[in-house]
Amino acid sequence: MLNPFSKVDISFDDFRLSARKRLPKLLFEYIDGAASDGSGEAENRKIIRHFRLKTKALINVEQRSLNHKVFRIPTKLPVGIAPMGMVQMAGVGADEEFAKFASKYEIPVGVSTAASMSLEKYAEYSRGYAWFQLYYMADKAELEKLLNRILMAGYKTLIFTVDVPEIGFRPNEIRNGLKVPFKFGPKQIFDFALHPAWSLKTLMNGAPKFGNFTDTNSFNRGASRAGADWDFLRYLRDHWPNKLVIKGVLNTDDAINMKGIGVDGIYVSNHGGRQLASAPHPIEMLPKIRKALGHDVHIFYDSGLRNGEDLIKAYALGANFAFMGRPWSLAYAANNQDGIENYIDYLCKEISVAMAMIGRTKIEEICFDDIYFK
Ligand SMILES: Cc1cc2nc3c(=O)[nH]c(=O)nc-3n(C[C@H](O)[C@H](O)[C@H](O)COP(=O)(O)O)c2cc1C
């Protein structure tokens, strides 16, 4: 029987609150956390709220569709799953469910180098909707081996992340003693004991680990990637035959140079504020980068998108396709696959209402003209 007093999660903040109750603090703060004082993540959200959408009256908007396209491939939703390392920290089976969700709705799912399920399984469960996300690797022989493996698994799109020369300074991770693979001291044991539902299920299924590497020592999450440079990007462009997207771009000069090197997509993002609290606001950089690049390069966006109106703004400000990170993991942590289905269901309802209010019936119709610039 339905409990009339049970809480229903509808908004991002509802799901976040449920996730916070369910997850050990160490893990909640890994997913939810940000660099330095956390202000980068808070600012991402705040600045998106400042943009106003232009409402339009008396336009027939009866037939609205949330279908869209990414690299000319149809999608059933206008939002993708940003690459996230170790999503199994949100709960057992998270990677598999993300991949299946991507397959069901025909949307891209980012597969982090630090994913907790192998890139081959991601390709299989997503039925080819997975995009592999690469971090800089100094060892060219290892890199070529990995690129070959990604190609053999059938990946059509590679995302190269350029905003992690060093992993962000995140005080909560240091305070909580987060280590992958997990290291258990009294503090962590106490934290896990306080969240038995998550802990028992996880411990029965084995603690989260890196899915792309069988030897736990062959991938170091905290390693320096400061050697990445423009020569490396040219090398990558020469050695990766399919679509290449550069993630973590926040200035027009970089974007123009990348376009010159022949990349297929520029992914505007500040890593959700996880790398540098004082980085530029990505939503403000998005229209500038769009203006600088014109329309012959795809532009992707993430950072701070939490609801349907936010997504409309990302499209209005120049994105060809928008992604979210934390919302997926926190909705999964809140209530497994039902969590993500419910969250996305409400998100879509909100997108649809917002489209009606601004007089748009298709995602591709949304443009600069829908933003009210004072
Ligand atoms: C738990 C977590 C892990 C992440 N791991 C990666 C990663 O391995 N590679 C990457 O390029 N970005 C990673 N990101 C950044 C996301 O791809 C994305 O840029 C960010 O989450 C977007 O901001 P949002 O969370 O506000 O939507 C991670 C983000 C989170 C929350």
Side-chain angles (χ1 to χ4, degrees):
M1 203 179 86
L2 267 182
N3 173 359
F5 301 107
S6 69
K7 177 181 152 289
V8 180
D9 290 337
I10 295 170
S11 68
F12 168 79
D13 288 332
D14 296 338
F15 284 97
R16 180 176 177 273
L17 207 64
S18 294
R20 180 177 217 151
K21 285 186 192 142
R22 205 160 167 218
L23 289 179
K25 182 168 178 281
L26 162 82
L27 304 182
F28 175 77
E29 291 189 351
Y30 161 69
I31 298 167
D32 188 63
S36 190
D37 60 0
S39 58
E41 193 273 343
E43 286 273 306
N44 283 347
R45 299 177 63 182
K46 193 171 113 198
I47 303 296
I48 293 171
R49 297 290 176 286
H50 282 172
F51 285 97
R52 303 285 95 191
L53 289 169
K54 222 187 261 176
T55 55
K56 292 193 195 80
L58 296 176
I59 293 173
N60 184 333
V61 285
E62 277 178 331
Q63 303 297 324
R64 298 187 301 284
S65 165
L66 267 57
N67 293 345
H68 194 37
K69 284 196 181 95
V70 58
F71 285 136
R72 297 205 180 84
I73 298 168
T75 66
K76 291 185 178 148
L77 293 175
V79 60
I81 305 173
M84 284 176 285
M86 302 302 295
V87 296
Q88 259 203 55
M89 292 201 191
V92 171
D95 298 271
E96 196 176 320
E97 292 307 328
F98 283 11
K100 287 181 177 165
F101 193 92
S103 154
K104 181 172 170 190
Y105 293 99
E106 301 176 352
I107 57 169
V109 52
V111 181
S112 167
T113 306
S116 36
M117 183 172 81
S118 75
L119 65 97
E120 287 81 7
K121 283 195 180 149
Y122 258 105
E124 182 192 334
Y125 292 133
S126 70
R127 288 189 307 118
Y129 285 93
W131 294 10
F132 190 81
Q133 177 270 318
L134 180 80
Y135 278 125
Y136 168 71
M137 288 168 76
D139 184 331
K140 295 272 167 55
E142 283 301 311
L143 173 65
E144 279 178 35
K145 242 188 343 192
L146 181 59
L147 290 180
N148 209 28
R149 190 177 149 198
I150 301 164
L151 265 183
M152 293 297 288
Y155 282 76
K156 300 284 183 288
T157 305
L158 183 73
I159 301 173
F160 174 44
T161 296
V162 293
D163 60 5
V164 189
E166 303 290 349
I167 202 156
F169 182 77
R170 302 177 199 150
N172 282 345
E173 288 187 13
I174 303 170
R175 215 172 275 132
N176 295 331
L178 176 72
K179 297 262 179 328
V180 186
F182 284 162
K183 296 245 177 339
F184 291 100
K187 195 171 169 178
Q188 289 78 21
I189 292 170
F190 185 65
D191 186 12
F192 279 62
L194 286 178
H195 300 87
W198 187 95
S199 305
L200 288 174
K201 201 169 165 197
T202 300
L203 295 179
M204 269 169 8
N205 284 276
K209 50 183 190 305
F210 297 122
N212 285 320
F213 307 92
T214 38
D215 169 9
T216 43
N217 296 322
S218 57
F219 180 74
N220 177 0
R221 173 177 175 259
S224 172
R225 296 175 176 90
D229 59 12
W230 290 94
D231 283 342
F232 181 82
L233 178 58
R234 279 185 275 271
Y235 177 90
L236 193 60
R237 180 62 292 185
D238 288 346
H239 287 78
W240 175 255
N242 295 339
K243 298 266 189 265
L244 179 61
V245 174
I246 312 303
K247 176 170 182 280
V249 182
L250 286 171
N251 78 66
T252 50
D253 290 346
D254 282 352
I256 290 167
N257 290 337
M258 288 166 186
K259 180 181 170 184
I261 289 174
V263 307
D264 302 282
I266 298 292
Y267 191 144
V268 178
S269 164
N270 71 355
H271 219 100
R274 293 168 78 81
Q275 283 298 107
L276 184 72
S278 309
H281 301 128
I283 200 74
E284 289 180 338
M285 294 315 298
L286 176 61
K288 297 188 175 125
I289 293 177
R290 169 57 75 204
K291 278 185 187 146
L293 294 185
H295 284 272
D296 49 349
V297 173
H298 276 67
I299 298 184
F300 303 106
Y301 180 85
D302 77 26
S303 294
L305 305 177
R306 300 289 179 260
N307 62 42
E309 293 189 22
D310 293 347
L311 273 147
I312 301 262
K313 290 175 191 172
Y315 284 104
L317 290 164
N320 290 92
F321 204 81
F323 289 78
M324 299 185 304
R326 292 180 187 84
W328 296 99
S329 288
L330 294 176
Y332 191 82
N335 196 15
N336 305 317
Q337 53 271 58
D338 286 347
I340 51 178
E341 286 281 358
N342 290 340
Y343 174 67
I344 293 301
D345 189 38
Y346 288 119
L347 184 95
C348 288
K349 288 193 169 89
E350 191 178 0
I351 297 174
S352 183
V353 171
M355 283 170 71
M357 292 297 296
I358 63 171
R360 299 295 184 192
T361 56
K362 294 190 183 106
I363 299 291
E364 56 261 40
E365 290 172 358
I366 301 169
C367 61
F368 276 146
D369 193 38
D370 294 318
I371 293 283
Y372 180 70
F373 291 101
K374 283 173 224 162

